[in-house]
Amino acid sequence: MAKFPDWLESIPFPMIITNREAVIKSYNSLFFKLFDHVAVGKNIQELFREWEVLGSHHVSVEQENQSYLFQYKNIECETESLVLYIVSDGTPIQRLQDRISELEYENQELDAVFENSSDGIYITDSDGLTLKINAAVGKFLGHPKEIFLGKNIKQLLQDGVVNEALTFKVLAKGKTVHSVPTNKFNTHLKTAVPIFNEAGEIKKVVTYVRDLSESNHLYQELKKALEINKQYKEELEKLKNKTWWDPDIIVESKKMMDIYEMGNRIAEYDATVLVLGETGVGKDVLARHIYQASQRALKGDFIKINCGSIPPELLESELFGYEPGSFTGASRSGKPGMFELADKGSLFLDEVGELSLALQVKLLRVLQDKQIQRIGGTKPKNIDVRLIAATNRNLKQMVEKGEFREDLYYRLNVLPISIPPLRERREDILPLVQSFLHEITERYGIQKEFDHNLKNFFYHYNWPGNVRELSNLVERLVLTVPKSFITASDLPEEYRDKKEVPVAYIKEMTLKEAAEFAEKEVLSVAIQKFKNTYELAEGLGTSQATIVRKLKKYNLTITTA
């Protein structure tokens, strides 16, 4: 049995002593338990499969897939110089070594990516001091990268080495900053990104530089595509507005189709619209349609005021509003006028011809200055209002008589639209009747129908009150006639006494033209009675093929009650 020195045995760690030539001189029992093949006189390095010196006082060894750490110290004895080793578990150290190796490998890979990137990469600290830079930056700027390392961006700017630095913009804003090329001579696209520490402070700034000179053609194509895309978006918005259609608007005649198409086209322009036409033709319906078809419908309201229904002394306060205590009876909190309520939207001035000359002056000033001033106010207010005016009067004649200001007339008459009376667009009459009948019966929860003779009356009557009169008569018949099937004999007395001419010749025409005119009139009435072309052919005593051809010729469609 081996004899272990007492002083070595007193130490609670595996220990071994060698001379400077690594020859074993002594060891304790704890060391022997770990390495039973140890023997005095052997070279210590021969005991292990691997022997790696770590720094000046540590050695990593491996024996039977087990790692150990030897901490050693040189000691001097009287007769010779010795080395004292203390043994500990080397697994944690081995893990650290493995991790260090991995990190070194990863760092080498990152360095390779960093250096070989076609994009320039420039890293500074929070003071603008250059920490790291790759070769691409030097290539872009025409200087070797050694000129930048350790230098402050401020100094490089002063020396003219660089002409722009995003670092300080990032430090000031605390977020990513971009710089795009502004002309064909500057082809560098730059992005500077802040790197934050755990305290949320900027620790470093990384700037990426991409040279677009080789892809400048693609860049120009991209700009062109973006411009085209912008144009497409604008066209789509216009198309969307143009094709917008309120399902409650009943329009069949070409005249009214043209008018509403015009409304769609001018909807996005803020020029003043003047809607002309007899009472009841639907001027307010067109005005609301123009508003709904514009972007203003998304931003502001549609405000309507009838200039003829409000006394002149009150109309000014309704239009322009008033400040608190402006006059006796005024609200203590004041009141905004219609112009203010319509801000960002549209204001519809119905019966604008009824405005007094004094109010005409104020309206003219609003149209010119785009500002209003409340009654009792001292400061004007800016407004953004699209004005739509309407009248059933002849403003031109009123100007000649001195009843309407000429300058205001031309301010209003920028986009004039004249709506024809119902008698001049008879194609709209029966569709309007059907729409009113449906709406009224739905509202009151009743079922009523009109016979073809009553529809024939509707079609041929001249309607001096236009659409409003037609709507009122339909509602009157529905509510006053107890029968569910209403005929021409149920008409009020004032209508039965009228002797309307069913067909009015507005010009001399040939026999062929007269025959076609009469044929179209007969078909227009018949399609309201019959449900399909077969019934229509039987009722008119002709073939179904003839009916189809004639309907196509006159652009007519069967409408069932």
Side-chain angles (χ1 to χ4, degrees):
M1 180 178 293
K3 177 68 175 176
F4 305 108
D6 293 338
W7 69 274
L8 282 178
E9 286 297 307
S10 64
I11 298 174
F13 303 105
M15 295 186 64
I16 187 170
I17 299 173
T18 70
N19 61 15
R20 292 295 179 87
E21 287 73 33
V23 176
I24 297 173
K25 292 296 185 177
S26 183
Y27 50 88
N28 63 7
S29 59
L30 293 176
F31 186 91
F32 182 76
K33 287 180 180 179
L34 292 175
F35 313 104
D36 56 4
H37 56 293
V38 64
V40 173
K42 280 189 174 184
N43 189 300
I44 190 172
Q45 297 182 17
E46 296 176 356
L47 298 177
F48 307 101
R49 190 179 68 179
E50 291 187 9
W51 179 279
E52 182 181 0
V53 178
L54 306 175
S56 57
H57 296 286
H58 296 84
V59 176
S60 174
V61 303
E62 184 175 330
Q63 177 68 24
E64 296 179 355
N65 297 323
Q66 176 65 44
S67 297
Y68 299 93
L69 178 67
F70 282 23
Q71 302 177 61
Y72 67 89
K73 183 173 179 60
N74 295 325
I75 57 176
E76 297 294 333
C77 295
E78 295 180 356
T79 56
E80 60 181 326
S81 297
L82 301 175
V83 181
L84 175 65
Y85 295 90
I86 299 177
V87 183
S88 60
D89 186 3
T91 302
I93 300 299
Q94 185 61 44
R95 290 174 181 169
L96 287 175
Q97 284 184 300
D98 293 342
R99 183 57 183 153
I100 290 171
S101 297
E102 291 175 3
L103 291 174
E104 288 178 347
Y105 179 75
E106 291 175 2
N107 194 49
Q108 290 175 358
E109 287 187 327
L110 290 175
D111 282 341
V113 172
F114 183 83
E115 279 300 321
N116 291 286
S117 172
S118 59
D119 290 347
I121 306 175
Y122 198 117
I123 304 175
T124 66
D125 64 12
S126 58
D127 295 320
L129 189 68
T130 305
L131 302 177
K132 198 168 184 178
I133 182 175
N134 69 353
V137 173
K139 178 183 176 183
F140 295 158
L141 300 178
H143 300 284
K145 67 178 185 176
E146 288 74 21
I147 288 181
F148 303 91
L149 293 174
K151 302 286 183 61
N152 196 288
I153 287 289
K154 290 182 180 178
Q155 186 62 46
L156 294 172
L157 281 169
Q158 293 175 2
D159 295 342
V161 177
V162 296
N163 56 17
E164 182 186 28
L166 303 183
T167 300
F168 298 109
K169 293 182 180 180
V170 171
L171 293 173
K173 296 181 178 181
K175 63 180 182 179
T176 299
V177 174
H178 303 277
S179 175
V180 298
T182 55
N183 55 61
K184 64 180 180 180
F185 302 106
N186 175 17
T187 59
H188 294 153
L189 176 66
K190 302 171 187 175
T191 302
V193 181
I195 306 299
F196 297 93
N197 59 20
E198 294 180 354
E201 301 168 337
I202 296 179
K203 183 179 180 182
K204 296 178 182 178
V205 177
V206 181
T207 301
Y208 301 94
V209 184
R210 174 164 294 183
D211 186 4
L212 299 178
S213 57
E214 295 182 1
S215 56
N216 189 53
H217 175 69
L218 293 177
Y219 174 70
Q220 295 300 327
E221 289 296 320
L222 176 60
K223 285 184 65 177
K224 189 184 298 182
L226 291 174
E227 286 295 326
I228 294 174
N229 185 52
K230 181 181 178 181
Q231 294 175 10
Y232 282 159
K233 284 184 177 179
E234 293 174 352
E235 290 299 323
L236 284 173
E237 285 297 321
K238 292 179 181 178
L239 183 62
K240 181 177 69 174
N241 292 330
K242 183 176 179 181
T243 57
W244 180 90
W245 198 270
D246 187 339
D248 293 330
I249 294 177
I250 307 300
V251 172
E252 292 291 335
S253 65
K254 186 177 185 306
K255 289 181 180 179
M256 292 302 290
M257 290 291 290
D258 291 343
I259 286 172
Y260 274 83
E261 284 298 325
M262 169 69 78
N264 286 333
R265 288 197 299 274
I266 66 174
E268 285 307 320
Y269 305 112
D270 286 339
T272 304
V273 179
L274 180 61
V275 185
L276 305 169
E278 296 179 4
T279 298
V281 293
K283 296 186 289 295
D284 58 336
V285 177
L286 176 61
R288 185 177 290 275
H289 174 82
I290 294 173
Y291 160 77
Q292 290 285 5
S294 72
Q295 291 297 310
R296 287 185 173 270
L298 304 176
K299 302 173 184 177
D301 295 326
F302 179 82
I303 304 297
K304 174 184 176 181
I305 183 169
N306 190 311
C307 302
S309 64
I310 301 175
E313 58 272 14
L314 298 179
L315 185 56
E316 181 179 0
S317 64
E318 288 295 317
L319 286 174
F320 306 112
Y322 57 83
E323 296 293 349
S326 300
F327 51 84
T328 303
S331 170
R332 292 182 178 180
S333 59
K335 179 183 177 182
M338 297 298 181
F339 274 101
E340 288 183 68
L341 296 176
D343 191 40
K344 307 300 181 186
S346 296
L347 175 62
F348 177 51
L349 295 182
D350 199 6
E351 296 188 35
V352 71
E354 306 303 322
L355 285 175
S356 67
L357 287 173
L359 279 181
Q360 290 178 32
V361 174
K362 291 197 171 186
L363 177 58
L364 177 64
R365 188 178 302 120
V366 171
L367 294 177
Q368 290 174 338
D369 300 339
K370 306 296 183 184
Q371 292 181 328
I372 60 101
Q373 186 168 312
R374 290 186 180 184
I375 297 175
T378 58
K379 295 182 180 180
K381 293 185 178 182
N382 294 324
I383 55 166
D384 176 16
V385 175
R386 202 291 176 69
L387 185 68
I388 304 175
T391 183
N392 61 356
R393 302 182 66 180
N394 189 324
L395 294 185
K396 189 66 174 175
Q397 288 183 2
M398 292 180 66
V399 170
E400 294 172 356
K401 294 178 181 179
E403 298 173 353
F404 201 86
R405 291 183 63 93
E406 184 176 20
D407 46 7
L408 178 58
Y409 170 73
Y410 288 114
R411 278 284 180 178
L412 295 177
N413 199 42
V414 178
L415 294 173
I417 300 178
S418 181
I419 301 180
L422 197 55
R423 61 184 173 275
E424 294 180 9
R425 47 185 176 100
R426 296 187 183 276
E427 302 97 312
D428 294 328
I429 293 176
L430 293 180
L432 283 169
V433 168
Q434 191 62 34
S435 176
F436 294 149
L437 179 62
H438 175 76
E439 189 271 328
I440 293 167
T441 54
E442 284 284 321
R443 187 198 316 163
Y444 295 112
I446 54 180
Q447 291 293 328
K448 296 292 177 77
E449 292 184 46
F450 296 151
D451 79 342
H452 71 280
N453 289 326
L454 179 56
K455 291 179 181 178
N456 191 33
F457 167 81
F458 286 141
Y459 185 83
H460 291 103
Y461 185 64
N462 276 336
W463 301 109
N466 292 292
V467 178
R468 187 177 296 123
E469 182 185 5
L470 175 63
S471 173
N472 290 344
L473 180 58
V474 171
E475 185 168 11
R476 181 177 176 181
L477 289 171
V478 169
L479 297 180
T480 59
V481 177
K483 301 179 296 182
S484 61
F485 195 70
I486 303 172
T487 67
S489 62
D490 296 313
L491 283 166
E493 185 176 350
E494 62 266 28
Y495 286 96
R496 283 180 297 183
D497 291 342
K498 303 275 185 185
K499 300 299 182 181
E500 299 293 342
V501 180
V503 178
Y505 294 94
I506 60 175
K507 64 173 185 176
E508 291 185 2
M509 58 180 69
T510 65
L511 286 176
K512 180 180 179 183
E513 289 173 337
E516 291 178 344
F517 190 89
E519 189 175 59
K520 181 179 179 181
E521 290 293 314
V522 171
L523 285 170
S524 297
V525 174
I527 60 176
Q528 305 302 321
K529 177 180 179 181
F530 299 104
K531 297 181 179 180
N532 54 56
T533 55
Y534 293 99
E535 292 183 5
L536 189 58
E538 184 178 353
L540 296 181
T542 186
S543 67
Q544 188 263 352
T546 299
I547 291 297
V548 171
R549 187 172 68 255
K550 295 291 185 180
L551 291 179
K552 184 177 181 181
K553 176 181 178 180
Y554 299 120
N555 194 25
L556 297 174
T557 305
I558 293 179
T559 304
T560 57

